[in-house]
Amino acid sequence: MKELIPLDRIEVPRVRPDARYAARLPGHDASFRGLKRLLGAADASKAGDRKAGLAAPSEAAREAARELLGELTLEHLHDHPLTDERGDVDAVMRVNYDIDRDAFARIASLRLGELKDALLRAPGPEVARLGRALTGVMAAALAKLCDVHELIYIARKISRPTRARTRLGAPGTLASRLQPNHPTDDPRGIALLTYWGLSIGAGDALLGVNPAAGTVETTAAILRHLDRIRRATGAPTQICCLSHLKVQLAALDQGAPVEILFQSLAGTEACCVTEFDITVDLIDEGYRRMAARGPLAGQAEQFMYFETGQGSELTYGKHDGIDMATAEALCYALARRWDPFMVNNVTGFIGPETHLDDREMILANLQDHFMGKLLGVPMGMAPCYTLHAHVTLEGQQMATQLLTAAGASYYMDVCLNTDRMLAYFDTSGHDVQTLRELHGRAPGGEFLAWALDRGILARAADGQGNGQGEGQAPAGAITRGPRFGDVRQFCPDEAALAALVAATPAAYGFATAGPRPASAVSRRARLDQAIARAALESALREDELARVAAFRVLTTMAGSKDEHLGSADAGARLSPESAARLAPEGAQVQIVVSDGLSAEAVHHNLPDLLPVLLDGLGARGVTVGQPLLARHGRVKLAEAVAEGLGARLVILLLGERPGSGELASRSLSAYLAYRLAPGVDQEAAAAFSGNPAIGFEYTVIANIHAGGLPAAEAGGALAAKVAQVLARRAAGNRLEALLAGDAA
């Protein structure tokens, strides 16, 4: 177990006034006030940084910033810690200064450009050692000086192997985190997607499910289900349910097999506390409890799993003036504190407000991989995209080729690239096997032995390819075996397999061609993506909705779909005209309907959902205001409505980003925003969250559509959840903790 140094014992330089950095280049003068501005201007232009006013206005200005940055010494970067909006060094920045002081002393006088040259010349162990001496700011600054070849060349030198039940990240390996997400957490669908992944050699890093319902009960049930699958198949790997850390710890207390403890991280304390509901102290507590009582305690060398990705701080408006790449690097140095088993980067997950197109996504992923490995964490990559961004499957595949060349430890296995619950598009197990064969990689050793024994993978004989006449491979190279893609090996009979298939959306068929899905399978998957992209163009039809309810219509600050897609906050704010029309009305609950990213989600679900919801609330004696309708809304719009109308709880019914296919393009979510009353309620929430200024708590019911949670059923579930929120005067993780306490 790693010693966790108390925050007040980590040495941080005193805060200094912002320096002025000025450069005079031929035909161009540039000046930057403060290190934040310089770092932002030195990076390649990305949508999020442009929106925040941090990107350079021109290539000349960017090169001036890079020139200035390259001349700064590491000591200068060390002595100018970035501060939060109050001018203080926050907890994330403080953890970043927990570095190898002896190693830093030997390089402190180097200019940043000199350090880059030294890393290019140095052998891998030396690069890794120097990385332990760097803060996130230093790593981000280096990344901004590197071109694509340099990002790949330096990162490739570094090996960061870890061990839980099995080894991850050993040289010559490429692993995958099997992600069998299901829109309703149906154990049959989870089982099929797990079997499918295992049959193509995926899952050696982890079997991990993002739950649709983030409750303690669901988390524990998923973990037990994955544990049964792991034991039944004999697959040597580890399991995880990616619910909130507080929920996982409650499940651990109930005896659930929490083998790997997961949490998403942000690069500023403001974002961690107010949006992710975490503190450094909370993760410290989780780390200690896992070391003492986790199922792998005494066996695993590492047991923490963190997920990050450029842009979350900016999307929530909690970036403290720090550019996306630098905030991301701060995450990696934060994760380093807990010696993680895995760190997974999901840059591209948010959408066009942070990364607009293929180029921005690819470059950001290369930066992230470089920064994470340099800072000392084991980097898995998930170059991913949503359908409302100008990012494509081809761009994602280009990213994986470059990242594999750079030495990425693992990718995701999202079956056929389509996440059936989160409605985004990630790498697949077919991609992982393709990359293994192209780049001469293999799964982790224990998993490889299992896959060879089952005939899923095979060792090539000299000049024999994979033994099936499919090209040449060096003797001993890992290729596909005779049972590659054979899902039936894990099912007792055809009837059992048919039952699993029937419960799984977007199951297009198991046929393969080499390491790839067969053409008929991939064509169906791509067609469904195209259908889903078309849903983004849909618009609310107010005349039709008027037949469902007598809506009051509001407008947000997003005057168009483009403004909505490109802005992190326009859809969260009411227009001045609409805000002026709201006044306290005395109703406990207010319902707001918005298209969000899919107007079709509203039209296909609201007629069945709303009557059931209203009847359920009425039967429970809950007072409800006249429903509201708003175009181009975002989740935080609920807060503006709650404040304006004085409602205790706002139910925001929001069209989500389209997933794959016609049904998943109609996915609605319900966000329950509970407004905390001053006094006991607010104080209890503040104590639970560590956020003294907390004003709202959120509960979410997602994947409301015909292929997920049916609309009428969702109406009933919402009414029941509203009753719990109002009775307990709590929502989100605090509500789940109270309910778990009742169950115990």
Side-chain angles (χ1 to χ4, degrees):
M1 177 177 171
K2 181 181 177 182
E3 179 187 1
L4 301 178
I5 300 175
L7 293 185
D8 59 6
R9 285 176 46 198
I10 299 175
E11 296 180 26
V12 179
R14 64 177 176 83
V15 175
R16 304 176 185 225
D18 281 341
R20 179 176 175 272
Y21 304 96
R24 177 165 293 178
L25 302 178
H28 188 88
D29 292 343
S31 178
F32 307 93
R33 172 63 66 181
L35 193 54
K36 291 180 185 178
R37 290 284 176 180
L38 182 63
L39 287 164
D43 204 353
S45 181
K46 302 167 195 164
D49 291 334
R50 292 193 294 272
K51 178 68 177 177
L54 294 169
S58 66
E59 276 299 305
R62 183 196 176 202
E63 288 307 317
R66 296 173 87 192
E67 180 77 16
L68 289 164
L69 201 55
E71 291 300 310
L72 296 182
T73 64
L74 293 174
E75 185 174 31
H76 180 92
L77 294 172
H78 175 278
D79 291 346
H80 290 79
L82 306 186
T83 58
D84 61 19
E85 290 187 339
R86 300 183 303 273
D88 298 326
V89 173
D90 73 7
V92 173
M93 186 64 62
R94 182 169 293 276
V95 171
N96 266 251
Y97 278 85
D98 182 9
I99 59 176
D100 183 333
R101 291 284 168 182
D102 291 338
F104 179 74
R106 293 193 288 272
I107 61 174
S109 62
L110 289 180
R111 293 182 175 88
L112 196 64
E114 293 173 332
L115 177 62
K116 189 189 86 165
D117 290 345
L119 295 177
L120 288 166
R121 297 186 184 108
E126 176 68 6
V127 174
R129 187 182 67 83
L130 292 177
R132 299 284 187 183
L134 304 180
T135 67
V137 171
M138 298 171 195
L142 272 169
K144 295 165 194 290
L145 294 189
C146 290
D147 61 25
V148 167
H149 289 307
E150 291 160 350
L151 292 171
I152 293 172
Y153 185 78
I154 294 173
R156 187 181 177 91
K157 298 182 183 188
I158 306 169
S159 177
R160 300 290 190 194
T162 55
R163 174 175 286 281
R165 176 178 285 109
T166 59
R167 177 70 68 186
L168 176 64
T173 64
L174 180 61
S176 66
R177 195 213 106 183
L178 208 165
Q179 180 168 290
N181 291 350
H182 191 279
T184 62
D185 297 324
D186 189 319
R188 297 169 299 173
I190 291 172
L192 177 69
L193 294 172
T194 303
Y195 296 156
W196 201 342
L198 292 174
S199 77
I200 56 174
D204 47 332
L206 187 81
L207 309 180
V209 172
N210 300 80
T215 65
V216 176
E217 179 183 15
T218 298
T219 297
I222 288 173
L223 285 167
R224 292 188 177 102
H225 185 49
L226 290 176
D227 188 52
R228 286 191 294 270
I229 292 173
R230 181 187 65 79
R231 293 174 185 274
T233 61
T237 185
Q238 32 280 316
I239 63 171
C240 181
C241 183
L242 285 74
S243 50
H244 193 275
L245 184 145
K246 292 178 180 177
V247 173
Q248 293 168 82
L249 291 178
L252 179 67
D253 289 341
Q254 294 183 3
V258 183
E259 294 185 348
I260 302 295
L261 187 64
F262 167 82
Q263 182 54 50
S264 294
L265 298 180
T268 66
E269 184 178 11
C271 194
C272 282
V273 172
T274 63
E275 304 300 337
F276 290 6
D277 192 21
I278 55 170
T279 62
V280 171
D281 287 343
L282 173 66
I283 303 177
D284 282 354
E285 171 64 17
Y287 179 82
R288 294 188 181 102
R289 287 170 65 179
M290 287 292 291
R293 296 194 289 112
L296 300 182
Q299 175 182 356
E301 297 172 14
Q302 291 87 15
F303 42 78
M304 303 294 283
Y305 171 19
F306 299 112
E307 199 160 84
T308 68
Q310 286 191 27
S312 59
E313 303 86 2
L314 182 135
T315 294
Y316 288 117
K318 301 293 191 318
H319 59 97
D320 291 335
I322 300 171
D323 68 272
M324 295 192 299
T326 302
E328 182 70 2
L330 297 177
C331 290
Y332 301 139
L334 176 64
R336 184 170 61 183
R337 175 176 177 84
W338 300 287
D339 186 24
F341 173 63
M342 299 168 60
V343 174
N344 188 44
N345 171 276
V346 292
T347 291
F349 181 82
I350 295 174
E353 68 199 56
T354 61
H355 298 85
L356 182 63
D357 55 25
D358 285 327
R359 175 184 172 277
E360 293 184 14
M361 180 274 291
I362 293 169
L363 183 57
N365 271 269
L366 290 170
Q367 290 178 329
D368 295 346
H369 180 258
F370 166 88
M371 296 186 298
K373 287 187 76 174
L374 184 61
L375 287 167
V377 295
M379 287 301 294
M381 300 302 298
C384 52
Y385 63 97
T386 60
L387 295 182
H388 62 298
H390 301 297
V391 180
T392 64
L393 179 66
E394 290 76 16
Q396 179 192 72
Q397 292 174 342
M398 294 175 197
T400 61
Q401 291 289 347
L402 294 170
L403 289 163
T404 306
S409 293
Y410 72 93
Y411 295 106
M412 307 296 282
D413 170 25
V414 174
C415 183
L416 299 178
N417 304 103
T418 301
D419 191 291
R420 290 145 182 82
M421 193 279 288
L422 291 172
Y424 82 113
F425 299 87
D426 210 322
T427 54
S428 72
H430 294 92
D431 295 337
V432 175
Q433 183 58 27
T434 302
L435 292 164
R436 286 171 179 160
E437 296 188 26
L438 286 171
H439 293 267
R441 306 290 177 84
E446 301 97 333
F447 191 92
L448 174 59
W450 172 83
L452 290 170
D453 184 63
R454 295 196 71 110
I456 293 169
L457 299 177
R459 291 191 185 276
D462 188 17
Q464 295 299 309
N466 67 352
Q468 300 173 5
E470 295 180 2
Q472 303 298 309
I478 301 303
T479 63
R480 285 150 281 115
R483 303 200 76 179
F484 180 83
D486 178 11
V487 178
R488 290 169 176 81
Q489 65 185 291
F490 302 114
C491 293
D493 52 47
E494 288 296 323
L497 177 59
L500 300 185
V501 171
T504 308
Y508 304 118
F510 307 121
T512 61
R516 306 299 300 157
S519 180
V521 175
S522 60
R523 292 276 59 79
R524 288 182 62 194
R526 294 300 296 273
L527 176 60
D528 268 4
Q529 280 197 35
I531 291 170
R533 277 194 195 268
L536 291 164
E537 304 304 319
S538 61
L540 287 176
R541 301 181 291 278
E542 294 179 14
D543 56 336
E544 292 182 20
L545 295 175
R547 295 195 289 270
V548 179
F551 287 101
R552 293 177 287 179
V553 178
L554 301 176
T555 57
T556 70
M557 293 299 292
S560 68
K561 189 176 289 286
D562 285 344
E563 287 182 35
H564 173 57
L565 296 179
S567 172
D569 63 354
R573 294 182 289 128
L574 288 168
S575 67
E577 298 79 10
S578 289
R581 287 163 42 205
L582 299 186
E585 296 179 347
Q588 292 170 283
V589 172
Q590 181 62 55
I591 297 171
V592 183
V593 177
S594 182
D595 51 358
L597 293 174
S598 174
E600 289 307 307
V602 172
H603 285 287
H604 280 271
N605 293 289
L606 201 66
D608 291 330
L609 185 154
L610 191 57
V612 176
L613 172 58
L614 291 173
D615 286 347
L617 295 177
R620 290 170 170 83
V622 177
T623 57
V624 184
Q626 182 183 356
L628 301 169
L629 182 67
R631 293 183 186 274
H632 310 315
R634 289 196 178 227
V635 173
K636 293 297 181 73
L637 181 64
E639 298 184 14
V641 170
E643 298 288 359
L645 293 177
R648 181 58 52 210
L649 176 68
V650 169
I651 304 171
L652 177 62
L653 299 171
L654 188 70
E656 292 289 15
R657 59 192 183 193
S660 185
E662 186 175 13
L663 294 180
S665 69
R666 300 168 179 173
S667 181
L668 192 76
S669 285
Y671 293 87
L672 280 62
Y674 179 64
R675 185 167 62 93
L676 295 160
V680 175
D681 286 0
Q682 198 280 333
E683 291 166 6
F688 184 84
S689 67
N691 176 16
I694 188 171
F696 286 83
E697 292 176 319
Y698 281 85
T699 287
V700 184
I701 294 180
N703 289 290
I704 301 170
H705 59 85
L709 180 63
E713 188 177 331
L718 274 170
K721 185 59 71 173
V722 167
Q724 289 181 331
V725 171
L726 294 178
R728 290 292 187 169
R729 296 190 298 184
N733 291 325
R734 189 164 66 95
L735 174 64
E736 295 308 318
L738 293 171
L739 295 174
D742 290 347

